[in-house]
């Protein structure tokens, strides 16, 4: 006890060591590192001690070494920079399995044109049995990127795949299908909605054009339960750990929840922590009244598996010309939904009902909004909720201000923040979608997007995420996203440099703010005594390299609960 008192006294005197540990109580000690803790009370440290997966001391190497005994595993970090474990605040991990196993890759830039995409599809048809579904992945806004400046048509897909249903996904909110797929989905003349809420575009005579919007819930592409269980148990963590992620918000179709509940029993401590948000129909209407059906089993470890909330889509996305706007899109694209203002998936009354469902169940509500009109629907639903339950926990807007943001919307969000509003953003889109936004919306509207510094100054604490669906290229890499945040280099060149954020804030966007946005900041998001011992060791010091070198940073080691779950080969 004397030793402990001495250590505590010494720590107090130096103002460095923070600890809840007694000497000899550390399972693992990480020493000789350069920790940037994201804890304002002690932002730099050289070493940490971990007991039962939790930080028990943060201080100097000498202080932490003094806490170790013969049973403590001591890991030397050789001066490497360490951050709190990165958190992906909004992602779709299961879809990356679909992408890997089944999909024909027609993503730009490897597939530069409609012509090459059709050749790739024809090749797959050659190795498929008649009637097999063929899934094709494009990136969002492919119509802006392909050499022909359009998507393949239904007729072109029919030509290369006369005997197979084909769905070509233009990102996650729009697809082109061929005649066999229309037949398989039961889409006939005059139909404008799919059974689960997706939109069907028709020509002047009411014939389906082959373009469907937000109809993915209707597509029979679900992998088999055994594949899902294996992927949640191991594959997802392997994929995300390489990029330094230790936690994710997994946005999950409700049909998959039983598989995830099973995984929580077979893999008690996976290599990534799952917080789960569940969706059903895009407008949220098919979710049960009692959401406890989605809870993880009682004996699942809540630090690894937790059902947190529900998600619905107010609209599509502006880059696929389906985000719901007040004014029509620019240009003359024949894929636009009627009226040219995008797709309204969840009107006001239904958005209100969705938020009420979350509130009755004391869960997080998540509403996806892209266009300005959709964002207003969401803000109105949350203002109504805040008026009824001023102390209610949490509401989240997904993709807030990515494509469009007005001053009035910023102020409404700021006011809501006082009663628990959080926002998720996808900074990597700066490098992928800005050009398409200008083509789709014109300069005036497009220049209101991606105002991350404005959001931070307004106190909105934006939570960054990959929104990884498998349909994009490279968007899982958080360091590329951080470089874009800091440099404002977009796919159109330098874009709104006054909206550049500091590298420190870029790190907060991937650590403490995602933790807050999920109600988990008490246990995650910073390197602090009492929090889960999640860390990302970097290959270079992200805090001192020039902004245009940030993307070269990689995860050298990823550590979950004091366990090294990934080491860069
Ligand atoms: Zn979304
Ligand atoms: Zn998403």
């Amino acid at each position: 006890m004397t030793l402990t008192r001495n250590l505590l006294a010494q720590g107090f005197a130096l103002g460095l060591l923070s600890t809840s540990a007694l000497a000899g109580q550390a399972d693992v000690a990480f020493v000789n590192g350069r920790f940037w803790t994201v804890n304002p009370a002690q932002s730099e440290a050289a070493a940490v001690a971990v007991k039962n997966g939790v930080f028990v001391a943060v201080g100097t190497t000498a202080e932490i070494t003094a806490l170790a005994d013969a049973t403590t595993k001591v890991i030397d970090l050789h001066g490497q920079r360490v951050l709190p474990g990165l958190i992906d605040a909004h992602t779709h991990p299961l879809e990356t399995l679909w992408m890997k196993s089944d999909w024909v890759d027609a993503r730009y830039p490897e597939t530069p044109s409609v012509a090459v995409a059709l050749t790739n599809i024809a090749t797959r048809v050659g190795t498929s049995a008649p009637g097999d579904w063929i899934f094709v992945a494009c990136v969002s806004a492919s119509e802006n990127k392909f050499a022909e400046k359009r998507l393949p048509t239904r007729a072109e897909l029919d030509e290369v795949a006369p005997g197979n249903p084909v769905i070509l996904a233009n990102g996650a909110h729009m697809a082109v299908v061929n005649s066999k797929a229309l037949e398989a989905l039961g889409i006939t003349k005059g139909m404008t909605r799919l059974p689960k809420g997706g939109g069907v575009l028709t020509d002047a005579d009411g014939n389906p054009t082959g373009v469907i919007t937000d109809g993915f819930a209707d597509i029979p592409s679900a992998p088999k339960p055994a594949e899902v269980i294996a992927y949640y148990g191991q594959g997802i963590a392997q994929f995300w750990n390489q990029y330094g992620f230790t936690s994710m918000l997994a946005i999950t179709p409700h049909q998959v929840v039983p598989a995830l509940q099973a995984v929580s029993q077979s893999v008690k401590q996976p290599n990534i922590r799952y917080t789960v948000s569940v969706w059903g129909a895009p407008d949220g209407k098919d979710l049960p009244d009692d959401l406890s059906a989605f809870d993880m089993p009682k004996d699942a470890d809540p630090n690894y598996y937790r059902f947190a909330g529900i998600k619905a889509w107010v609209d599509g996305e502006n880059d696929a010309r389906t985000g719901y706007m007040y004014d029509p899109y620019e240009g003359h694209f024949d894929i636009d939904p009627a009226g040219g203002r995008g797709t309204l998936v969840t009107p006001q009354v239904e958005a209100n009902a969705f938020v009420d469902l979350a509130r009755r169940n004391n869960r997080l509500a998540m509403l996806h909004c892209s266009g300005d009109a959709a964002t207003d629907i969401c803000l109105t639903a949350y203002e109504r909720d805040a008026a009824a339950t001023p102390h209610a926990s949490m509401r989240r807007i997904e993709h807030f201000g990515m494509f469009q943001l007005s001053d009035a919307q910023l102020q409404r969000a700021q006011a809501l923040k006082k009663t628990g509003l959080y926002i998720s953003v996808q900074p990597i889109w700066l490098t992928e979608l800005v050009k398409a936004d200008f083509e789709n919306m014109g300069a005036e509207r497009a220049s209101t997007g991606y105002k991350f510094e404005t959001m931070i100054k307004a106190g909105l604490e934006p939570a960054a995420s990959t929104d990884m669906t498998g349909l994009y290229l490279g968007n899982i890499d958080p360091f590329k996203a951080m470089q874009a945040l800091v440099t404002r280099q977009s796919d159109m060149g330098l874009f709104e440099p006054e909206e550049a954020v500091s590298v420190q804030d870029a790190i907060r966007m991937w650590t403490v703010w995602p933790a807050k946005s999920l109600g988990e900041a008490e246990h995650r998001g910073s390197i602090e005594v009492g929090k889960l011992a999640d860390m990302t060791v970097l290959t270079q010091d992200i805090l001192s390299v020039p902004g245009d070198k940030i993307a070269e940073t990689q995860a050298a080691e990823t550590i979950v609960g004091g366990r090294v779950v990934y080491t860069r080969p």
Side-chain angles (χ1 to χ4, degrees):
M1 279 308 273
T2 315
L3 177 61
T4 308
R5 275 200 208 97
N6 284 345
L7 279 167
L8 288 172
Q10 189 186 27
F12 181 75
L14 295 171
L16 289 173
L17 181 68
S18 73
T19 180
S20 62
L22 306 173
Q25 277 208 337
D27 299 330
V28 200
F30 295 88
V31 300
N32 293 321
R34 277 190 293 165
F35 294 78
W36 195 67
T37 65
V38 191
N39 169 15
Q42 184 188 19
S43 59
E44 292 274 352
V48 297
V50 178
K51 174 84 178 170
N52 295 329
V54 172
F55 293 117
V56 291
V58 179
T60 65
T61 292
E63 287 162 347
I64 298 302
T65 306
L67 290 173
D69 69 4
T71 66
T72 306
K73 185 173 172 188
V74 179
I75 297 177
D76 192 328
L77 294 168
H78 303 288
Q80 292 178 103
R81 176 58 76 187
V82 187
L83 301 178
L86 304 184
I87 302 173
D88 191 347
H90 170 139
T91 193
H92 305 263
L94 197 61
E95 280 82 341
T96 61
L97 175 65
W98 301 350
M99 181 68 223
K100 282 178 174 167
S101 55
D102 287 334
W103 292 58
V104 176
D105 195 346
R107 296 175 298 177
Y108 181 89
E110 275 73 9
T111 304
S113 62
V114 170
V116 176
L118 292 169
T119 307
N120 295 351
I121 297 164
T123 305
R124 176 65 64 90
V125 170
T127 59
S128 303
D132 282 357
W133 275 87
I134 292 174
F135 305 104
V136 187
C138 292
V139 291
S140 270
S142 291
E143 70 279 15
N144 300 73
K145 291 171 177 164
F146 282 147
E148 296 87 345
K149 287 275 167 191
R150 61 173 181 80
L151 293 173
T153 63
R154 170 187 167 186
E156 286 171 329
L157 296 176
D158 284 345
E159 217 167 287
V160 292
N164 295 81
V166 176
I167 173 159
L168 177 142
N170 176 32
H173 293 277
M174 173 180 274
V176 185
V177 299
N178 70 348
S179 299
K180 275 280 173 209
L182 288 174
E183 207 180 295
L185 293 167
I187 299 174
T188 51
K189 185 170 176 169
M191 208 170 146
T192 58
R193 282 269 164 215
L194 285 160
K196 292 181 187 162
V200 177
L201 271 54
T202 55
D203 64 16
D205 302 323
N207 295 308
T209 62
V211 175
I212 60 174
T213 58
D214 286 283
F216 286 71
D218 293 272
I219 310 300
S221 60
K224 293 166 191 64
E227 280 181 295
V228 173
I229 289 173
Y231 199 46
Y232 270 112
Q234 210 173 18
I236 291 170
Q238 278 171 357
F239 194 16
W240 262 260
N241 288 161
Q242 299 171 59
Y243 297 93
F245 289 110
T246 57
S247 288
M248 66 160 62
L249 177 76
I251 300 173
T252 306
H254 71 76
Q255 297 86 340
V256 170
V257 173
L260 195 48
Q261 290 165 330
V263 177
S264 76
Q265 300 302 291
S266 57
V267 185
K268 291 283 182 188
Q269 296 195 332
N271 289 345
I272 193 154
R273 303 184 193 276
Y274 292 113
T275 303
V276 179
S277 170
V278 170
W279 59 278
D283 57 10
K285 277 203 283 196
D286 68 344
L287 292 170
D289 257 358
D290 181 356
L291 299 175
S292 63
F294 304 133
D295 278 333
M296 293 297 133
K298 289 266 177 295
D299 57 347
D301 186 335
N303 285 325
Y304 285 93
Y305 298 95
R306 189 173 75 86
F307 163 57
I310 53 175
K311 159 151 188 200
W313 283 258
V314 178
D315 64 345
E317 53 184 322
N318 293 32
D319 51 286
R321 306 172 67 84
T322 56
Y324 186 58
M325 302 202 295
Y326 286 112
D327 297 311
Y329 286 89
E330 302 274 327
H332 304 281
F333 288 78
D334 52 8
I335 55 172
D336 286 350
R341 292 172 51 200
T343 317
L344 175 59
V345 179
T346 307
Q348 188 70 60
V349 173
E350 290 163 21
N352 294 349
F354 174 83
V355 176
D356 286 345
L357 173 64
R359 192 60 50 230
R360 279 200 304 279
N361 285 270
N362 197 24
R363 303 291 179 171
L364 171 66
M366 293 171 60
L367 283 170
H368 156 123
C369 316
S370 293
D372 52 2
T375 300
D376 278 344
I377 288 172
C378 177
L379 287 165
T380 299
Y382 285 163
E383 282 162 354
R384 179 180 163 277
D385 185 46
T389 49
H391 305 295
S393 49
M394 296 200 306
R395 308 164 186 100
R396 244 181 56 164
I397 307 181
E398 307 310 301
H399 320 302
F400 181 78
M402 291 303 301
F403 304 104
Q404 295 180 276
L405 180 63
S406 70
D407 291 345
Q409 288 171 338
L410 185 74
Q411 283 158 17
R412 291 173 76 185
Q414 243 181 318
L416 275 168
K417 179 81 178 137
K418 298 187 185 82
T419 55
L421 177 78
Y422 288 90
I423 58 172
S424 87
V425 296
Q426 292 69 39
I428 195 71
W429 293 354
L430 268 172
T431 68
E432 296 172 343
L433 299 178
V434 173
K435 190 160 174 283
D437 291 343
F438 274 73
E439 289 169 4
N440 288 339
M441 295 189 282
E444 197 183 319
R445 284 181 287 179
S447 60
T448 68
Y450 306 90
K451 292 187 177 293
F452 298 120
E453 181 67 4
T454 296
M455 295 177 202
I456 292 171
K457 281 197 183 126
L460 294 181
E461 303 182 312
S465 79
T466 65
D467 202 2
M468 186 71 188
T469 58
L471 298 177
Y472 301 92
L473 285 177
N475 75 354
I476 194 174
D477 189 333
F479 305 108
K480 277 189 192 160
M482 288 190 211
Q483 175 163 317
L485 282 165
V486 170
T487 65
R488 298 296 296 191
Q489 282 298 333
S490 76
D491 60 342
M492 270 201 350
L494 187 64
F495 175 54
E496 295 179 346
E498 68 282 4
E499 290 294 337
V501 314
S502 68
V503 65
Q504 287 84 357
D505 278 344
I507 294 167
R508 290 183 183 100
M509 288 174 76
W510 288 99
T511 53
V512 66
W513 293 338
K516 282 187 165 187
S517 81
L518 296 167
E520 293 169 343
E522 203 186 316
H523 305 291
R524 303 182 203 186
S526 61
I527 295 171
E528 236 174 290
V529 170
K531 289 198 180 184
L532 297 168
D534 298 350
M535 293 168 272
T536 305
V537 182
L538 305 180
T539 53
Q540 64 173 1
D541 184 6
I542 196 165
L543 287 154
S544 63
V545 297
D548 62 357
K549 296 278 185 279
I550 289 174
E552 292 170 19
T553 311
Q554 292 180 308
E557 285 187 334
T558 305
I559 299 161
V560 175
R563 293 180 291 132
V564 178
V565 296
Y566 170 76
T567 303
R568 183 157 295 278

Tab-separated table of all heavy atoms in Angstrom, residues 393-421:
chain	number	residue	atom	x	y	z
A	393	SER	N	-33.198	11.297	-24.849
A	393	SER	CA	-31.800	11.055	-25.089
A	393	SER	C	-31.349	11.555	-26.442
A	393	SER	O	-30.892	12.688	-26.588
A	393	SER	CB	-31.511	9.568	-24.952
A	393	SER	OG	-32.470	8.859	-25.704
A	394	MET	N	-31.536	10.768	-27.475
A	394	MET	CA	-30.757	11.071	-28.652
A	394	MET	C	-31.539	10.976	-29.933
A	394	MET	O	-32.408	10.148	-30.103
A	394	MET	CB	-29.585	10.113	-28.714
A	394	MET	CG	-28.644	10.313	-27.549
A	394	MET	SD	-27.075	9.625	-27.966
A	394	MET	CE	-27.595	7.999	-28.414
A	395	ARG	N	-31.125	11.860	-30.804
A	395	ARG	CA	-31.642	11.860	-32.167
A	395	ARG	C	-30.429	12.073	-33.062
A	395	ARG	O	-29.549	12.853	-32.713
A	395	ARG	CB	-32.612	13.031	-32.357
A	395	ARG	CG	-33.697	13.076	-31.304
A	395	ARG	CD	-34.415	14.403	-31.255
A	395	ARG	NE	-35.341	14.403	-30.130
A	395	ARG	CZ	-35.086	14.990	-28.954
A	395	ARG	NH1	-33.969	15.645	-28.761
A	395	ARG	NH2	-35.970	14.915	-27.972
A	396	ARG	N	-30.413	11.384	-34.198
A	396	ARG	CA	-29.275	11.581	-35.095
A	396	ARG	C	-29.759	11.847	-36.511
A	396	ARG	O	-30.679	11.208	-36.986
A	396	ARG	CB	-28.351	10.349	-35.067
A	396	ARG	CG	-26.982	10.691	-34.506
A	396	ARG	CD	-26.036	9.524	-34.479
A	396	ARG	NE	-25.843	8.887	-35.768
A	396	ARG	CZ	-24.829	8.058	-36.022
A	396	ARG	NH1	-23.930	7.773	-35.097
A	396	ARG	NH2	-24.734	7.491	-37.208
A	397	ILE	N	-29.076	12.782	-37.165
A	397	ILE	CA	-29.325	13.022	-38.596
A	397	ILE	C	-28.139	12.433	-39.352
A	397	ILE	O	-26.984	12.791	-39.093
A	397	ILE	CB	-29.443	14.523	-38.918
A	397	ILE	CG1	-30.488	15.181	-38.020
A	397	ILE	CG2	-29.787	14.708	-40.394
A	397	ILE	CD1	-30.686	16.669	-38.295
A	398	GLU	N	-28.434	11.551	-40.298
A	398	GLU	CA	-27.374	10.924	-41.099
A	398	GLU	C	-27.119	11.772	-42.347
A	398	GLU	O	-28.061	12.194	-43.013
A	398	GLU	CB	-27.792	9.510	-41.504
A	398	GLU	CG	-28.221	8.643	-40.320
A	398	GLU	CD	-27.214	8.656	-39.185
A	398	GLU	OE1	-26.055	8.269	-39.421
A	398	GLU	OE2	-27.586	9.046	-38.065
A	399	HIS	N	-25.855	12.016	-42.618
A	399	HIS	CA	-25.393	12.779	-43.798
A	399	HIS	C	-25.715	14.268	-43.694
A	399	HIS	O	-25.846	14.953	-44.715
A	399	HIS	CB	-25.988	12.234	-45.109
A	399	HIS	CG	-26.068	10.738	-45.186
A	399	HIS	ND1	-24.962	9.951	-45.062
A	399	HIS	CD2	-27.126	9.890	-45.347
A	399	HIS	CE1	-25.340	8.672	-45.160
A	399	HIS	NE2	-26.635	8.614	-45.318
A	400	PHE	N	-25.833	14.773	-42.461
A	400	PHE	CA	-26.229	16.168	-42.273
A	400	PHE	C	-25.299	17.121	-43.038
A	400	PHE	O	-24.071	17.067	-42.873
A	400	PHE	CB	-26.207	16.517	-40.786
A	400	PHE	CG	-26.632	17.929	-40.484
A	400	PHE	CD1	-27.972	18.271	-40.489
A	400	PHE	CD2	-25.692	18.914	-40.214
A	400	PHE	CE1	-28.378	19.575	-40.226
A	400	PHE	CE2	-26.092	20.226	-39.947
A	400	PHE	CZ	-27.437	20.554	-39.953
A	401	GLY	N	-25.894	17.977	-43.859
A	401	GLY	CA	-25.130	19.022	-44.547
A	401	GLY	C	-24.100	18.524	-45.547
A	401	GLY	O	-23.244	19.291	-45.972
A	402	MET	N	-24.175	17.248	-45.929
A	402	MET	CA	-23.170	16.765	-46.871
A	402	MET	C	-23.348	17.422	-48.240
A	402	MET	O	-22.395	17.847	-48.863
A	402	MET	CB	-23.267	15.241	-47.012
A	402	MET	CG	-22.843	14.491	-45.763
A	402	MET	SD	-21.158	14.905	-45.247
A	402	MET	CE	-20.247	14.447	-46.700
A	403	PHE	N	-24.588	17.473	-48.704
A	403	PHE	CA	-24.824	17.998	-50.052
A	403	PHE	C	-25.326	19.437	-50.021
A	403	PHE	O	-25.011	20.226	-50.902
A	403	PHE	CB	-25.839	17.118	-50.780
A	403	PHE	CG	-25.425	15.675	-50.839
A	403	PHE	CD1	-26.009	14.717	-50.016
A	403	PHE	CD2	-24.414	15.278	-51.704
A	403	PHE	CE1	-25.613	13.391	-50.066
A	403	PHE	CE2	-24.010	13.953	-51.754
A	403	PHE	CZ	-24.610	13.006	-50.933
A	404	GLN	N	-26.130	19.761	-49.026
A	404	GLN	CA	-26.736	21.084	-48.932
A	404	GLN	C	-26.905	21.435	-47.462
A	404	GLN	O	-27.233	20.562	-46.648
A	404	GLN	CB	-28.149	21.067	-49.534
A	404	GLN	CG	-28.210	20.801	-51.004
A	404	GLN	CD	-29.659	20.820	-51.464
A	404	GLN	OE1	-30.375	19.842	-51.375
A	404	GLN	NE2	-30.107	21.971	-51.947
A	405	LEU	N	-26.719	22.715	-47.144
A	405	LEU	CA	-26.980	23.160	-45.774
A	405	LEU	C	-27.280	24.651	-45.808
A	405	LEU	O	-26.462	25.445	-46.272
A	405	LEU	CB	-25.762	22.880	-44.879
A	405	LEU	CG	-25.895	23.299	-43.419
A	405	LEU	CD1	-27.019	22.524	-42.723
A	405	LEU	CD2	-24.584	23.068	-42.667
A	406	SER	N	-28.442	25.027	-45.304
A	406	SER	CA	-28.779	26.457	-45.229
A	406	SER	C	-28.465	26.973	-43.826
A	406	SER	O	-28.350	26.192	-42.879
A	406	SER	CB	-30.267	26.665	-45.539
A	406	SER	OG	-31.054	26.155	-44.476
A	407	ASP	N	-28.333	28.291	-43.708
A	407	ASP	CA	-28.102	28.891	-42.390
A	407	ASP	C	-29.232	28.539	-41.429
A	407	ASP	O	-29.004	28.271	-40.252
A	407	ASP	CB	-27.993	30.423	-42.513
A	407	ASP	CG	-26.720	30.830	-43.245
A	407	ASP	OD1	-25.818	29.971	-43.389
A	407	ASP	OD2	-26.634	31.992	-43.686
A	408	ALA	N	-30.454	28.572	-41.951
A	408	ALA	CA	-31.602	28.269	-41.086
A	408	ALA	C	-31.512	26.838	-40.548
A	408	ALA	O	-31.796	26.585	-39.373
A	408	ALA	CB	-32.899	28.460	-41.866
A	409	GLN	N	-31.089	25.911	-41.399
A	409	GLN	CA	-30.976	24.515	-40.944
A	409	GLN	C	-29.870	24.371	-39.908
A	409	GLN	O	-30.002	23.623	-38.942
A	409	GLN	CB	-30.720	23.598	-42.147
A	409	GLN	CG	-31.968	23.443	-43.017
A	409	GLN	CD	-31.704	22.728	-44.333
A	409	GLN	OE1	-30.565	22.683	-44.813
A	409	GLN	NE2	-32.746	22.183	-44.915
A	410	LEU	N	-28.791	25.088	-40.131
A	410	LEU	CA	-27.694	25.039	-39.165
A	410	LEU	C	-28.178	25.532	-37.798
A	410	LEU	O	-27.902	24.918	-36.761
A	410	LEU	CB	-26.525	25.900	-39.665
A	410	LEU	CG	-25.264	25.840	-38.804
A	410	LEU	CD1	-24.534	24.513	-39.001
A	410	LEU	CD2	-24.326	27.003	-39.140
A	411	GLN	N	-28.940	26.622	-37.808
A	411	GLN	CA	-29.444	27.168	-36.535
A	411	GLN	C	-30.446	26.240	-35.869
A	411	GLN	O	-30.442	26.077	-34.643
A	411	GLN	CB	-30.076	28.547	-36.786
A	411	GLN	CG	-29.021	29.632	-36.952
A	411	GLN	CD	-29.536	30.845	-37.700
A	411	GLN	OE1	-30.745	31.049	-37.833
A	411	GLN	NE2	-28.620	31.644	-38.213
A	412	ARG	N	-31.280	25.600	-36.666
A	412	ARG	CA	-32.244	24.650	-36.073
A	412	ARG	C	-31.494	23.473	-35.441
A	412	ARG	O	-31.854	23.006	-34.365
A	412	ARG	CB	-33.214	24.144	-37.152
A	412	ARG	CG	-34.173	25.208	-37.640
A	412	ARG	CD	-34.989	24.707	-38.829
A	412	ARG	NE	-36.054	23.771	-38.432
A	412	ARG	CZ	-36.839	23.133	-39.316
A	412	ARG	NH1	-36.666	23.319	-40.626
A	412	ARG	NH2	-37.788	22.316	-38.906
A	413	ALA	N	-30.454	23.009	-36.122
A	413	ALA	CA	-29.667	21.893	-35.565
A	413	ALA	C	-28.977	22.316	-34.276
A	413	ALA	O	-28.933	21.566	-33.295
A	413	ALA	CB	-28.647	21.411	-36.589
A	414	GLN	N	-28.463	23.542	-34.264
A	414	GLN	CA	-27.795	24.066	-33.067
A	414	GLN	C	-28.768	24.122	-31.883
A	414	GLN	O	-28.413	23.778	-30.764
A	414	GLN	CB	-27.306	25.481	-33.357
A	414	GLN	CG	-25.820	25.621	-33.298
A	414	GLN	CD	-25.398	27.057	-33.568
A	414	GLN	OE1	-25.939	27.709	-34.468
A	414	GLN	NE2	-24.439	27.532	-32.801
A	415	ALA	N	-29.983	24.569	-32.161
A	415	ALA	CA	-30.979	24.638	-31.085
A	415	ALA	C	-31.318	23.239	-30.576
A	415	ALA	O	-31.445	23.011	-29.371
A	415	ALA	CB	-32.235	25.353	-31.591
A	416	LEU	N	-31.444	22.287	-31.498
A	416	LEU	CA	-31.772	20.911	-31.104
A	416	LEU	C	-30.639	20.250	-30.336
A	416	LEU	O	-30.859	19.338	-29.546
A	416	LEU	CB	-32.079	20.082	-32.356
A	416	LEU	CG	-33.506	20.160	-32.877
A	416	LEU	CD1	-33.574	19.538	-34.262
A	416	LEU	CD2	-34.472	19.448	-31.924
A	417	LYS	N	-29.428	20.692	-30.594
A	417	LYS	CA	-28.251	20.082	-29.954
A	417	LYS	C	-28.398	20.084	-28.428
A	417	LYS	O	-27.969	19.172	-27.733
A	417	LYS	CB	-27.007	20.874	-30.379
A	417	LYS	CG	-25.708	20.386	-29.783
A	417	LYS	CD	-25.184	19.195	-30.552
A	417	LYS	CE	-23.851	18.725	-29.996
A	417	LYS	NZ	-23.773	17.274	-29.886
A	418	LYS	N	-29.066	21.127	-27.920
A	418	LYS	CA	-29.217	21.271	-26.460
A	418	LYS	C	-30.034	20.129	-25.856
A	418	LYS	O	-29.914	19.839	-24.671
A	418	LYS	CB	-29.892	22.610	-26.135
A	418	LYS	CG	-29.077	23.813	-26.599
A	418	LYS	CD	-29.685	25.125	-26.114
A	418	LYS	CE	-28.951	26.328	-26.661
A	418	LYS	NZ	-29.374	26.692	-28.038
A	419	THR	N	-30.884	19.498	-26.662
A	419	THR	CA	-31.669	18.389	-26.118
A	419	THR	C	-31.253	17.061	-26.747
A	419	THR	O	-32.022	16.108	-26.784
A	419	THR	CB	-33.182	18.596	-26.348
A	419	THR	OG1	-33.405	18.791	-27.750
A	419	THR	CG2	-33.679	19.786	-25.578
A	420	GLY	N	-30.029	17.005	-27.246
A	420	GLY	CA	-29.537	15.699	-27.670
A	420	GLY	C	-29.642	15.407	-29.147
A	420	GLY	O	-30.188	14.379	-29.547
A	421	LEU	N	-29.114	16.291	-29.982
A	421	LEU	CA	-29.030	15.979	-31.411
A	421	LEU	C	-27.577	15.682	-31.770
A	421	LEU	O	-26.668	16.397	-31.340
A	421	LEU	CB	-29.508	17.163	-32.259
A	421	LEU	CG	-29.367	16.918	-33.773
A	421	LEU	CD1	-30.479	16.016	-34.281
A	421	LEU	CD2	-29.321	18.208	-34.566
